[in-house]
Amino acid sequence: MNGAIEVESLRKTFPPKRRGVVGLRDLVDTLRGRRERVTALDGLSFEVRRGEIFGLLGPNGAGKTTLCKILNALVLPTEGSTRVMGLDCVRDHPAVTRRMVTVFGGEVEIFGIFVWRVSCERNLRFTGRLWRVPRAEAEKRMDEALDILGLGEKRSEWYQRLSAGQKQKLMLAIPLMVRPPVVVFDEPTTHLDVATRREIHRILREKLVGELGMTVLLTTHDMTEAERLCDRVAIIDRGRLLAIDAPRELARRLAPHAKLEIALLHPPERIEEALAGLEGVHAAIRGARTEDLAEFRLDLEPGARALAHVLAHLASNSVHIAHLHVREATLEEVFLHLTGREGEGKAAGASDA
């Protein structure tokens, strides 16, 4: 592999969680392997290509944040390896830190480097010194970053006094100032409003990747964000890779059903039961209805065969179609299908293993 980020056969297990007072017997059982260890990553392998925005999707506990911490040597792997720009993240950690910046969106107050009761510009100057950006160049990049982020008027404000959205946007100033080849964002838009989220998307796509040529690894729970922003995505669950490809290609290949939305003129009674019994039709649900028109939603097997059965049945029973629309599957539907969480609704949450 020769990607910007390379993850190979990565495995991470943690000791059992402590509950209450830990006694000598608990310690002996743990050392002898009698108590079950927690597996956060289980043989994970993938490559992030240079110059792409790569999304890492998974439910809570899938191992996304654990992976980000291993990339930064905050957590050491049990087995396997991770590399950034060809450098081992553990053995070559000092060199990796000069080539990669990580923004922990969901844990910004824990892993952020900004000092609360210090102004934004002083915090950013300190950031420039940490990454050894020449002083004059750091000042130029800081002014440009604050302008891009719409935070010029906040430069003299204490970091503590910024809103949650402004704090999140200011974290983007770090890669804008340091300009590393690789940026890792762990849930960078958690708890942000729609407008701020879209602004961050634009900066990632147009500035960091488009203009500065960076590679971005993005972890997220937001399927719409992944579809809109990522060139490719990997879906993981319980530390294992389930699928990897472009979002649209994943939806085309792996979605369990196609969605047919159809409106019929004067349909006969119990038509949805007749449609649901056709070959390749998994469900037929009646929607809105007026005096002359009734809408239905059908789940079909992928391909044209099931649709042909539906159209043939309607034609043979002289049922007229007012309109018909076959909707492409969404990345969310693929995600829920692969992770076995169809009944849990939209994946959401702020924590991860």
Side-chain angles (χ1 to χ4, degrees), residues 15-159:
K17 292 183 178 179
R18 296 179 179 179
R19 296 179 180 177
V21 178
V22 179
L24 179 60
R25 178 173 295 178
D26 295 315
L27 179 60
V28 172
D29 287 346
T30 299
L31 293 175
R32 290 181 175 178
R34 293 176 183 169
R35 299 181 66 193
E36 185 177 353
R37 296 174 66 83
V38 177
T39 300
L41 297 171
D42 191 3
L44 188 65
S45 296
F46 66 87
E47 178 187 64
V48 180
R49 299 166 185 164
R50 302 191 185 203
E52 74 174 343
I53 299 180
F54 185 92
L56 193 63
L57 312 181
N60 291 338
K64 302 185 300 296
T65 298
T66 297
L67 172 62
C68 292
K69 292 175 181 177
I70 289 175
L71 289 172
N72 287 273
L74 295 170
V75 169
L76 298 179
T78 305
E79 297 175 12
S81 65
T82 55
R83 291 182 291 277
V84 172
M85 303 302 289
L87 299 170
D88 187 275
C89 291
V90 177
R91 186 180 61 249
D92 305 315
H93 176 64
V96 169
T97 61
R98 295 193 291 272
R99 291 163 174 82
M100 181 180 71
V101 164
T102 299
V103 176
F104 288 92
E107 304 181 27
V108 62
E109 306 303 352
I110 301 176
F111 294 104
I113 64 171
F114 294 146
V115 181
W116 275 53
R117 295 191 177 188
V118 171
S119 69
C120 295
E121 60 183 355
R122 288 188 64 189
N123 269 304
L124 292 178
R125 288 192 182 105
F126 177 64
T127 298
R129 288 197 293 272
L130 275 180
W131 269 277
R132 301 178 183 177
V133 181
R135 181 171 299 181
E137 183 65 21
E139 288 291 321
K140 177 182 176 181
R141 293 181 185 181
M142 178 181 67
D143 292 342
E144 181 181 357
L146 290 172
D147 182 59
I148 291 171
L149 298 169
L151 296 174
E153 295 181 355
K154 299 291 184 179
R155 63 187 303 142
S156 300
E157 192 77 74
W158 280 2
Y159 173 73

Side-chain angles (χ1 to χ4, degrees), residues 41 112 167 210 236 254 295 335:
L41 297 171
K167 288 177 181 177
I236 66 172
L254 300 177
E295 296 180 352
F335 174 87

Side-chain angles (χ1 to χ4, degrees), residues 14 58 74 83 92 94 141 173 181 199 201 205 245 256 289 301 341 350:
F14 293 97
L74 295 170
R83 291 182 291 277
D92 305 315
R141 293 181 185 181
E199 180 64 12
H201 291 172
R205 171 61 68 185
D245 211 330
R289 179 166 188 158
E301 290 183 358
R341 288 168 167 79

Side-chain angles (χ1 to χ4, degrees), residues 189-247:
T189 58
T190 300
H191 307 312
L192 298 185
D193 60 77
V194 174
T196 303
R197 188 181 301 120
R198 289 185 176 179
E199 180 64 12
I200 288 177
H201 291 172
R202 185 189 65 79
I203 294 169
L204 289 179
R205 171 61 68 185
E206 296 180 7
K207 186 66 179 180
L208 297 188
V209 177
E211 185 176 331
L212 299 176
M214 299 179 191
T215 300
V216 172
L217 171 63
L218 170 78
T219 79
T220 181
H221 288 93
D222 190 331
M223 301 299 125
T224 302
E225 177 173 71
E227 281 186 305
R228 178 182 296 122
L229 193 59
C230 297
D231 300 301
R232 291 189 305 141
V233 297
I235 298 176
I236 66 172
D237 191 19
R238 299 176 180 89
R240 296 181 178 181
L241 179 67
L242 302 183
I244 183 170
D245 211 330

Side-chain angles (χ1 to χ4, degrees), residues 301-316:
E301 290 183 358
R305 190 172 181 178
L307 177 59
H309 288 313
V310 172
L311 297 180
H313 177 83
L314 295 176
S316 64

